[in-house]
Amino acid sequence: MGPEGAEAWYGAYLAEEGHKASTIKTRKAFLRSFLRWLKDSGIQDLTNVTRKDLEDYARHLRAATSSRTQKAYQPNTLRSLWLAAVGLMTALVEAEEVGAQSWPVKLIRGNQEPLPTILSEADIVAVLEGIDTRTTGGRRDRAVYELIYSAGLRVSEATKLKWEDVNLEDRLASIRQSKFDKDRVVPLTHEAVEMLRRHLAG
């Protein structure tokens, strides 16, 4: 998919997700800055967008000025422009239009440069392995973190998950009334299943 078709695609995606027309219009407007930047940077295929590209776009936003005021963007505008880019790439990953990558998800505010905070795979492994699974609480925490990381669950989804919604044999979990009250089924990794079994055993 090229930048020229991304705006319409994202609008359709947001509509399917249940967003209001006014919200969709606003997000698409903020997205145009990112799409222009992609074209100016010579990126014609969104599957080629990398983490570095998004970091470069964050730096571009920090140095850019508003065409209306000729001044640097206000923090709230910077955040909206940034989140529009991240929102598009996240949607493309969720729709399996592009491969999953560690996309930046946070804009740093204040006088710092608006670069994303990202945990590397090594950082995540260190966090998981740092949990003491010799205790009941540790096994519970490790199981929850494995679910969040490997199945892409929101914290609220992981904490509300019931045992009857988990199929350890088939390595599947049914997520009830998640975003926009929709249900979905997610696969579980072997590591998540193992930690759930250990947690269940007490």
Side-chain angles (χ1 to χ4, degrees):
M1 180 187 300
E4 66 281 349
E7 182 181 334
W9 183 91
Y10 191 43
Y13 174 87
L14 292 174
E16 186 175 340
E17 288 289 295
H19 289 278
K20 296 180 180 179
S22 58
T23 300
I24 296 173
K25 181 179 179 181
T26 299
R27 293 194 183 184
K28 287 170 61 177
F30 282 117
L31 180 63
R32 289 169 196 147
S33 171
F34 179 54
L35 299 179
R36 285 195 299 270
W37 181 85
L38 288 177
K39 291 181 180 179
D40 292 343
S41 301
I43 300 174
Q44 299 299 321
D45 189 341
L46 288 168
T47 62
N48 294 330
V49 175
T50 66
R51 165 180 166 175
K52 182 179 182 301
D53 291 327
L54 290 178
E55 292 174 344
D56 288 345
Y57 178 60
R59 295 187 183 93
H60 163 77
L61 289 177
R62 190 64 180 177
T65 57
S66 168
S67 58
R68 181 175 60 85
T69 65
Q70 303 303 313
K71 296 180 180 180
Y73 289 115
Q74 293 297 310
N76 285 343
T77 302
L78 273 177
R79 179 176 177 80
S80 295
L81 289 166
W82 170 249
L83 291 181
V86 173
L88 171 64
M89 299 311 303
T90 301
L92 287 167
V93 170
E94 291 180 349
E96 299 183 348
E97 294 287 339
V98 302
Q101 299 186 44
S102 299
W103 299 113
V105 294
K106 182 178 179 182
L107 179 67
I108 299 175
R109 300 181 181 182
N111 294 325
Q112 302 179 53
E113 192 172 355
L115 294 177
T117 298
I118 305 169
L119 287 178
S120 67
E121 184 176 352
D123 292 332
I124 294 171
V125 170
V127 170
L128 293 176
E129 293 185 348
I131 299 174
D132 186 358
T133 57
R134 293 172 296 180
T135 67
T136 300
R139 289 190 290 274
R140 176 205 61 208
D141 292 346
R142 177 68 180 268
V144 171
Y145 276 103
E146 287 284 359
L147 282 171
I148 292 172
Y149 174 56
S150 64
L153 301 187
R154 298 175 179 84
V155 173
S156 60
E157 292 172 341
T159 55
K160 292 178 182 178
L161 191 64
K162 298 180 179 179
W163 282 113
E164 55 261 35
D165 293 328
V166 178
N167 186 328
L168 295 178
E169 295 299 323
D170 294 335
R171 296 196 293 118
L172 296 172
S174 299
I175 310 303
R176 310 292 183 184
Q177 294 184 318
S178 58
K179 191 174 182 181
F180 305 114
D181 293 326
K182 293 182 179 180
D183 296 343
R184 73 181 194 279
V185 177
V186 298
L188 303 177
T189 63
H190 290 287
E191 291 81 2
V193 169
E194 174 62 22
M195 291 315 305
L196 286 169
R197 291 187 189 278
R198 292 180 62 182
H199 174 47
L200 186 60

